Amino acid sequence: PARHFDTRTTEPISFFLSGLEELLAWQPDSNDDFNVSAVPLAKRQPPLHSRRPRTLVCHDMRGGYLEDRFIQGSATRNPYVFYHWRYIDIFVYFSHHTVTIPPVCWTNAAHRNGVPVLGTFITEWTDGQKLCEAFLAGGSEAYRAVGEQLARIAQHYHFDGWLVNIENTLSAAAVGNLAPFLRHLTEQVHRTVPGGLVIWYDSVLQNGTLRWQNELTEENRVFFDACDGLFTNYNWKEEHLERTRGLAGPRHTDVYVGVDVFARGDVIGGGFDTDKSLRLIRQHGLSAAIFAPGWVYEHLGEENFLRNENKFWASLAEYLPTHSICTLPLATSFSLGMGTSRFLAGKEEEPGPWYDLSAQEIQPLYPEREGRLSTSCCLQDAWCGGSSLRVQGTIPPGEEHVAVRLFSLQMPAPPKLFLTLLYKLEGPHPDELAVALELTTWDSGTCHEGNVTSLPEPNSWHHPRFLPAPPPGLAKLLAACDRGSNGWTSRCYELDLQDCSLRDLSLLVSRHQPSQRETPFTCLLGEVRVLDAASVAASPPEVQSLSASQLWWQ
């Protein structure tokens, strides 16, 4: 069927639903298995329901369902990717189709990095008005059926809820049922999707007229009260924020103030001035909804996209509280889910462009310090996948080393950790530098490294012990110990801890000889792993009930 498979290539594709009939007729279909997300939503800290102001990203690009619709990837050169997951809370996939089901590759990449994904239910113009009258102007059975279908779709495809956007006027009968519909949809999503969310877009008012408020008001509050949050329109000024903060009361972090990165209309700032909008939003303790950050790709071009993307998100970092990983194992080769070729064990396996966000790995923080440090993606060389992480910077005069924070962690430390690192030093004098991992912890009481008690300060710095060879019994898993290849150096470490919590994982670049000159460095990271020794020793669970379907032998 053309909905599930590309008519030109027969490859499986992600799809949307058009109109009420398609929505109500939808049911799970075995052709559809490709579209179900296979990656559970990773836990992270702080959780979504904490009272910290949040950041929502709404992805709207050229109508949606571009190369990202190919579930098994495509040979796309310079595709659009998103990888600053540590800085955001919610990802919305937006298009102008009635029911936007997020392409499964986005759900997989977001979930792997702990970010929930919402689809979009939108009605607009005269067609939208007719659609709304059809399901809202009658009795409760009609709108309840729509709410239940939307919840079933999110549950079936394993994404996390809906942005609801009614951008047309409504009759008195229809608007009277809108808040009950929204309440019913929210209840159904909460019941069927763990951690599910429904967010309302600031559009139609409680009297049925379409008038964007750019704030929470008495006219749209009834819809905010019926669901998990409000996404405001973009043409606000500071007084709108003040009034919203007052009206929202304790739910102020459930208001996502819209920021259009394309800066359409009368806005405070978009493009590389988006930080001006975010600064004001945060001053009022509100959440932010960054709309169409694909501006970087569409407006500035595909060629320098990765450089511009890092510049854009670095300019906002001050206003984007980051998230911590709270489970082990942590293992990543930093791949963005794209590349100009594919690598395995440091060797180019297959030249040629590829794009598959489902293959994106866990992404780090991307720290930037103007002129002194940059972290970016390197497509020219990788250990595994399509890219490695390039860390470039300088060790200042008189200082021995620089610590580059890769991951924020928040979990009780197990008694024993194994860590592995694969790296490659580039530049004129790599032999003058040493590379290692550093782990910081904070107390649960006092923290001990091995059996040496360190000071009970909030942070202790640990430099794990280098293992020249893997411990017996772990040779297979830690095979990389001191056995790099193709110019990559491999290192294994162990660390014993007691009574503390893990805080940060950093890359430590140091020089062998003290110097009064600054020392530049460029280090490619191919893979980092942090493993709980106890679970490493246990044998992995057996694969069960494996089935294969839809086979076509040629």
Side-chain angles (χ1 to χ4, degrees):
R3 177 189 281 174
H4 298 102
F5 299 95
D6 185 65
T7 47
R8 207 168 40 83
T9 65
T10 76
E11 292 169 295
I13 51 173
S14 294
F15 60 85
F16 50 85
L17 302 175
S18 300
L20 198 55
E21 293 72 23
E22 281 195 12
L23 168 60
L24 292 172
W26 174 89
Q27 47 191 1
D29 178 323
S30 62
N31 285 315
D32 219 16
D33 293 348
F34 294 108
N35 254 307
V36 177
S37 170
V39 182
L41 180 60
K43 287 189 168 67
R44 60 189 338 208
Q45 285 290 345
L48 192 63
H49 51 75
S50 73
R51 303 317 297 163
R52 182 173 91 163
R54 306 178 198 112
T55 307
L56 176 153
V57 159
C58 190
H59 173 63
D60 172 32
M61 186 174 281
R62 299 173 187 158
Y65 301 96
L66 307 174
E67 290 78 10
D68 54 4
R69 74 184 186 279
F70 290 103
I71 295 171
Q72 295 171 332
S74 63
T76 306
R77 194 177 294 281
N78 298 328
Y80 175 74
V81 290
F82 178 82
Y83 49 94
H84 285 82
W85 299 109
R86 300 271 139 244
Y87 300 86
I88 76 165
D89 296 82
I90 300 166
F91 183 86
V92 178
Y93 193 87
F94 182 89
S95 84
H96 290 275
H97 302 290
T98 311
V99 179
T100 299
I101 299 168
V104 64
C105 63
W106 282 105
T107 307
N108 286 339
H111 278 187
R112 189 169 287 123
N113 287 282
V115 175
V117 176
L118 307 186
T120 307
F121 177 60
I122 188 173
T123 66
E124 47 192 346
W125 312 108
T126 46
D127 284 351
Q129 202 171 341
K130 286 181 199 151
L131 190 151
C132 287
E133 294 303 317
F135 87 94
L136 285 172
S140 66
E141 311 77 51
Y143 74 70
R144 290 175 78 88
V146 169
E148 278 150 29
Q149 244 346 35
L150 289 170
R152 281 178 70 204
I153 288 170
Q155 179 190 33
H156 178 71
Y157 295 114
H158 293 185
F159 63 96
D160 307 287
W162 296 99
L163 172 69
V164 178
N165 188 355
I166 307 292
E167 298 213 55
N168 45 257
T169 53
L170 295 175
S171 67
V175 81
N177 276 331
L178 184 52
F181 159 67
L182 206 53
R183 198 171 298 113
H184 179 65
L185 170 62
T186 305
E187 284 164 6
Q188 291 299 309
V189 167
H190 288 181
R191 193 174 62 77
T192 55
V193 178
L197 288 172
V198 174
I199 292 177
W200 170 256
Y201 185 74
D202 155 29
S203 49
V204 78
L205 306 180
Q206 65 183 9
N207 64 7
T209 52
L210 176 63
R211 203 164 65 241
W212 296 272
Q213 301 292 286
N214 305 297
E215 62 180 313
L216 177 64
T217 66
E218 292 296 353
E219 274 88 52
N220 62 20
R221 177 185 192 148
V222 57
F223 307 121
F224 175 61
D225 290 342
C227 69
D228 296 306
L230 168 74
F231 178 152
T232 78
N233 194 45
Y234 314 103
N235 304 121
W236 47 268
K237 295 286 178 275
E238 191 163 8
E239 57 267 27
H240 295 87
L241 302 183
E242 285 164 8
R243 291 194 295 261
T244 295
R245 174 70 202 243
L247 197 56
R251 284 190 68 200
H252 58 92
T253 54
D254 293 337
V255 179
Y256 299 84
V257 180
V259 180
D260 180 3
V261 180
F262 277 85
R264 291 163 280 212
D266 180 14
V267 302
I268 300 283
F272 282 119
D273 288 330
T274 300
D275 59 315
K276 291 178 181 163
S277 297
L278 278 182
R279 182 183 308 125
L280 281 177
I281 293 168
R282 298 307 196 211
Q283 277 169 9
H284 293 277
L286 300 168
S287 292
I290 300 174
F291 183 75
W295 169 85
V296 175
Y297 183 85
E298 293 186 64
H299 181 71
L300 301 175
E302 302 169 7
E303 288 303 315
N304 286 321
F305 166 61
L306 293 173
R307 185 183 313 144
N308 289 327
E309 180 77 341
N310 288 342
K311 180 181 167 188
F312 176 76
W313 288 97
S315 75
L316 306 182
E318 185 184 340
Y319 307 108
L320 303 177
T322 58
H323 295 81
S324 306
I325 288 174
C326 61
T327 53
L328 292 179
L330 163 59
T332 181
S333 67
F334 306 103
S335 180
L336 294 188
M338 60 159 283
T340 48
S341 40
R342 287 180 189 267
F343 293 84
L344 188 61
K347 184 164 158 279
E348 186 182 57
E349 287 272 291
E350 202 182 326
W354 64 277
Y355 173 53
D356 180 2
L357 283 171
S358 290
Q360 188 183 87
E361 301 240 346
I362 293 174
Q363 293 299 306
L365 297 162
Y366 279 85
E368 295 281 326
R369 289 202 285 277
E370 199 60 51
R372 300 208 334 270
L373 175 71
S374 76
T375 38
S376 59
C377 155
C378 171
L379 295 168
Q380 293 73 41
D381 199 355
W383 175 254
C384 179
S387 54
S388 56
L389 187 71
R390 180 190 280 114
V391 182
Q392 251 173 325
T394 54
I395 303 175
E399 292 191 20
E400 287 173 32
H401 61 254
V402 170
V404 182
R405 190 163 162 254
L406 300 175
F407 292 99
S408 166
L409 308 170
Q410 197 173 327
M411 61 188 120
K416 189 187 194 66
L417 288 172
F418 290 118
L419 300 93
T420 70
L421 169 67
L422 275 147
Y423 70 91
K424 188 182 268 195
L425 277 168
E426 295 190 324
H429 307 292
D431 46 352
E432 292 176 10
L433 297 166
V435 173
L437 291 173
E438 176 180 84
L439 204 57
T440 61
T441 56
W442 41 1
D443 299 350
S444 316
T446 54
C447 184
H448 309 276
E449 179 171 342
N451 44 17
V452 184
T453 307
S454 57
L455 292 171
E457 52 189 8
N459 265 344
S460 313
W461 283 258
H462 305 276
H463 301 119
R465 223 171 15 262
F466 171 60
L467 293 173
L474 294 179
K476 206 166 175 183
L477 188 77
L478 303 182
C481 285
D482 212 26
R483 206 177 71 221
S485 57
N486 299 302
W488 291 86
T489 302
S490 173
R491 291 280 182 264
C492 274
Y493 307 92
E494 66 177 358
L495 179 63
D496 298 308
L497 295 166
Q498 272 179 312
D499 301 330
C500 56
S501 298
L502 302 179
R503 174 79 176 262
D504 288 310
L505 178 68
S506 299
L507 181 75
L508 202 64
V509 183
S510 47
R511 44 184 164 207
H512 296 305
Q513 301 296 326
S515 168
Q516 289 312 308
R517 292 202 320 273
E518 65 174 33
T519 307
F521 64 85
T522 301
C523 181
L524 300 184
L525 292 188
E527 186 185 69
V528 167
R529 297 188 295 175
V530 182
L531 312 170
D532 175 352
S535 54
V536 166
S539 53
E542 300 267 311
V543 173
Q544 290 178 334
S545 46
L546 184 69
S547 67
S549 60
Q550 303 196 16
L551 303 179
W552 179 28
W553 297 102
Q554 280 183 296

